[in-house]
Amino acid sequence: MTEKSFDLIVVGAGPGGYVAAIRAAQLGLKVAIVEREHMGGICLNWGCIPTKAMLRSSEVFHLMQRAKEFGLKADGVGYDLDAVVKRSRAVAGQLSGGIGHLMKKNKITTLMGEATLPAKGKVSVKTEKGEQVLTAKNVILATGARARELPGLEADGDLVWTYKHALTPKRMPKKLLVIGSGAIGIEFASFYNTLGADTTVVEVMDRILPVEDAEISAFAKKAFVKQGMTIREKATVKQLDRGSGKVTAHIETGGKVEKLVFDTVISAVGIVGNVEDLGLEKLGAKIDRSHVVVDEYCRTGVDGLYAIGDIAGAPWLAHKASHEGVMVAELIAGGNPHPVRPESIAGCTYCQPQVASVGYSEAKAKELGHDIRVGRFPFIGNGKAIALGEAEGLIKTVFDAKTGELLGAHMIGAEVTELIQGYVVGRQLETTEEDLMNTVFPHPTLSEMMHESVLDAYDRVIHM
Ligand SMILES: Cc1cc2nc3c(=O)[nH]c(=O)nc-3n(C[C@H](O)[C@H](O)[C@H](O)COP(=O)(O)OP(=O)(O)OC[C@H]3O[C@@H](n4cnc5c(N)ncnc54)[C@H](O)[C@@H]3O)c2cc1C
């Protein structure tokens, strides 16, 4: 068997791996990438992109139902679930195919097959044509993660679904239970609820979207309940009894167990890293639960072995994976990149209304000992929001009272997943309240609320 030699081998072609490979190739390295299933990883094939395509369908459906409000006529509004799924799969397919082209364009050797790491600097790949061994001084592991399954609540694809089943439904749920209210759970709850499923969300923590600022969680809960969802907080699904076409869920709240019947359950209780069967333990890499332990430069402690993206731990976000990929590629090529700062990575949930945040929540900022100033601005005070018919929402900002540093921004409402990047740039540039107050925001835009929220924190709000 011949061994092919590279400067860098990347294992996994998700947003972490393929971006790392491109950046390394740009920097002149000879790069190979190994992927066992689909170019673009979970993000393009089963995560970020197909969910947003589905959510776009439910958003348009919702708007069509509101046609009269806008002076329009849209009679007999309905949907074809198969066509919604077909569009979502086509969008995913288009983007996944595009990654193959990017690899070719950047002269990156692509191998489709399952990789293992038999020794330091060696990657063995089981391809359709047999085993191939690649060698390189540097290896980046970007093997991602998969749905976490709790004992007794395992998916079966029929009554109990993971995100993959929820993205390719064979039928429309009538009575849906979503277990877990993180971004994934809430996005599916929002999609199916908007299309008419009677949806219940169960969350073990004391509030939904538990990583968000408490005020945003409370706002979201109110909005979802208004849309007909049932939200059960501080509640645990203990058991699922599967029958013919129905599931009886045993839901415990405050020591009391209730049995409720659903026809579909989506389990969205987190993810586990794909760390198994790679040979990591033998190489001496440390694994904590299901994640490879890395330092701020994604180094595993094994010379020349890096881990990025979901396999390297939270936050489990595509843009975090990609940014780590770029950082490690630059490090390997002899550069001096800055480590990724998790507190400057925005998190977005594409439910209706959308949720987005960056930095510290009000509670976290206080816990860290900051003396804070908080600003708030409601969508109802913004001309563009009213013109769009999207007057439900809030923008909250948290500043350090002494230094004026923008510690965090928390948003709920239309298009906030696009708006948040304004605050991300602000944090990256170490913006203070004064810079933000002196910035001119175009009118009429939703972004004016970002300005007003800052003004409010300093008792200078105009439109409220
Ligand atoms: C339903 C859902 C919605 C999401 N929505 C968003 C969102 O809106 N925004 C966001 O930022 N994030 C979102 N995420 C999370 C996002 O998908 C992940 O954070 C991101 O994909 C992580 O990228 P990665 O490169 O680390 O891993 P992955 O994208 O998981 O890619 C890893 C790749 O490695 C391959 N692989 C694994 N083991 C091997 C092996 N031994 N040999 C060869 N190849 C291997 C896998 O086949 C896979 O293609 C969502 C996730 C889900 C499930």
Side-chain angles (χ1 to χ4, degrees):
M1 194 190 321
T2 53
E3 287 191 357
K4 285 191 185 156
S5 161
F6 296 87
D7 297 321
L8 168 67
I9 303 164
V10 181
V11 180
Y18 83 74
V19 170
I22 293 175
R23 184 68 191 124
Q26 284 173 348
L27 292 165
L29 302 186
K30 188 181 170 198
V31 185
I33 191 162
V34 186
E35 169 56 50
R36 68 179 175 193
E37 204 179 342
H38 35 38
M39 300 304 286
I42 290 297
C43 171
L44 268 60
N45 295 281
W46 294 105
C48 328
I49 298 297
T51 48
K52 273 56 216 190
M54 301 254 289
L55 283 156
R56 176 71 173 152
S57 291
S58 61
E59 186 188 353
V60 175
F61 177 66
H62 174 69
L63 275 175
M64 286 170 78
Q65 286 177 317
R66 290 176 54 195
K68 212 172 156 195
E69 244 180 77
F70 298 93
L72 305 173
K73 284 183 186 163
D75 297 327
V77 174
Y79 61 84
D80 172 348
L81 189 62
D82 289 345
V84 169
V85 172
K86 206 170 150 199
R87 175 176 179 274
S88 161
R89 298 319 303 155
V91 170
Q94 180 183 340
L95 288 164
S96 176
I99 303 302
H101 294 299
L102 287 176
M103 295 300 104
K104 269 191 207 131
K105 185 184 149 207
N106 287 282
K107 301 189 176 44
I108 295 161
T109 302
T110 304
L111 262 104
M112 293 307 292
E114 177 102 25
T116 51
L117 280 64
K120 214 163 88 178
K122 261 193 188 181
V123 175
S124 164
V125 189
K126 265 191 215 144
T127 70
E128 271 182 1
K129 292 183 194 144
E131 193 174 343
Q132 282 207 34
V133 177
L134 315 178
T135 61
K137 200 170 157 221
N138 297 290
V139 175
I140 299 180
L141 268 186
T143 53
R146 58 185 185 276
R148 182 170 164 225
E149 303 225 54
L150 296 178
L153 313 185
E154 293 93 349
D156 52 43
D158 176 23
L159 297 170
V160 184
W161 299 353
T162 63
Y163 56 80
K164 285 199 180 179
H165 308 117
L167 278 165
T168 48
K170 305 276 179 295
R171 59 183 162 76
M172 178 65 194
K174 286 192 180 69
K175 219 166 159 11
L176 172 68
L177 168 65
V178 177
I179 311 176
S181 76
I184 296 175
I186 286 295
E187 285 186 5
F188 283 120
S190 185
F191 172 79
Y192 283 109
N193 188 65
T194 303
L195 291 193
D198 176 359
T199 304
T200 298
V201 176
V202 170
E203 170 56 54
V204 68
M205 306 292 279
D206 60 356
R207 57 194 174 85
I208 58 163
L209 292 165
V211 300
E212 300 297 340
D213 186 279
E215 218 171 319
I216 300 295
S217 294
F219 198 111
K221 179 180 175 182
K222 214 167 145 191
F224 297 152
V225 168
K226 206 166 107 191
Q227 292 167 22
M229 255 189 235
T230 304
I231 306 279
R232 290 171 165 257
E233 293 157 333
K234 287 197 212 159
T236 315
V237 177
K238 291 285 187 194
Q239 191 180 321
L240 294 176
D241 299 335
R242 299 161 210 232
S244 164
K246 63 172 189 168
V247 186
T248 307
H250 299 228
I251 304 173
E252 186 189 301
T253 321
K256 267 196 197 151
V257 177
E258 244 179 302
K259 290 185 194 172
L260 297 174
V261 179
F262 301 89
D263 62 59
T264 311
V265 178
I266 296 176
S267 170
V269 291
I271 57 157
V272 288
N274 294 323
V275 291
E276 305 88 353
D277 307 325
L278 286 162
L280 286 175
E281 295 84 351
K282 219 173 95 191
L283 287 178
K286 275 200 200 110
I287 293 167
D288 175 17
R289 278 155 290 174
S290 74
H291 297 106
V292 180
V293 178
V294 291
D295 67 8
E296 76 268 37
Y297 287 105
C298 296
R299 294 179 290 218
T300 62
V302 178
D303 199 25
L305 182 66
Y306 302 81
I308 61 169
D310 280 4
I311 194 186
W316 297 286
L317 294 166
H319 40 292
K320 175 254 190 189
S322 298
H323 204 79
E324 286 179 343
V326 169
M327 178 193 68
V328 173
E330 291 183 355
L331 198 65
I332 291 171
N336 195 17
H338 294 292
V340 178
R341 291 163 59 212
E343 67 281 3
S344 285
I345 298 174
C348 299
T349 306
Y350 299 74
C351 45
Q352 253 183 70
Q354 296 181 357
V355 173
S357 62
V358 64
Y360 302 132
S361 65
E362 182 178 349
K364 185 73 190 172
K366 282 185 189 155
E367 192 189 309
L368 291 172
H370 291 278
D371 186 8
I372 57 168
R373 290 192 79 122
V374 176
R376 292 178 186 81
F377 195 82
F379 273 51
I380 190 74
N382 176 264
K384 178 75 180 288
I386 294 170
L388 290 178
E390 298 289 354
E392 185 182 41
L394 173 74
I395 296 189
K396 174 173 175 180
T397 43
V398 181
F399 288 89
D400 184 290
K402 288 194 196 85
T403 63
E405 182 191 352
L406 174 65
L407 296 171
H410 310 277
M411 310 166 118
I412 182 163
E415 302 305 336
V416 296
T417 58
E418 294 293 336
L419 294 178
I420 192 70
Q421 189 58 11
Y423 286 136
V424 176
V425 172
R427 275 182 61 80
Q428 181 67 18
L429 300 179
E430 296 178 3
T431 289
T432 61
E433 88 293 4
E434 205 177 321
D435 300 321
L436 286 166
M437 286 196 280
N438 289 337
T439 301
V440 183
F441 287 74
H443 174 77
T445 62
L446 298 174
S447 73
E448 286 172 283
M449 289 184 282
M450 297 169 68
H451 194 213
E452 293 271 24
S453 178
V454 177
L455 293 175
D456 183 54
Y458 289 87
D459 303 323
R460 286 179 45 179
V461 69
I462 306 286
H463 293 96
M464 206 170 59

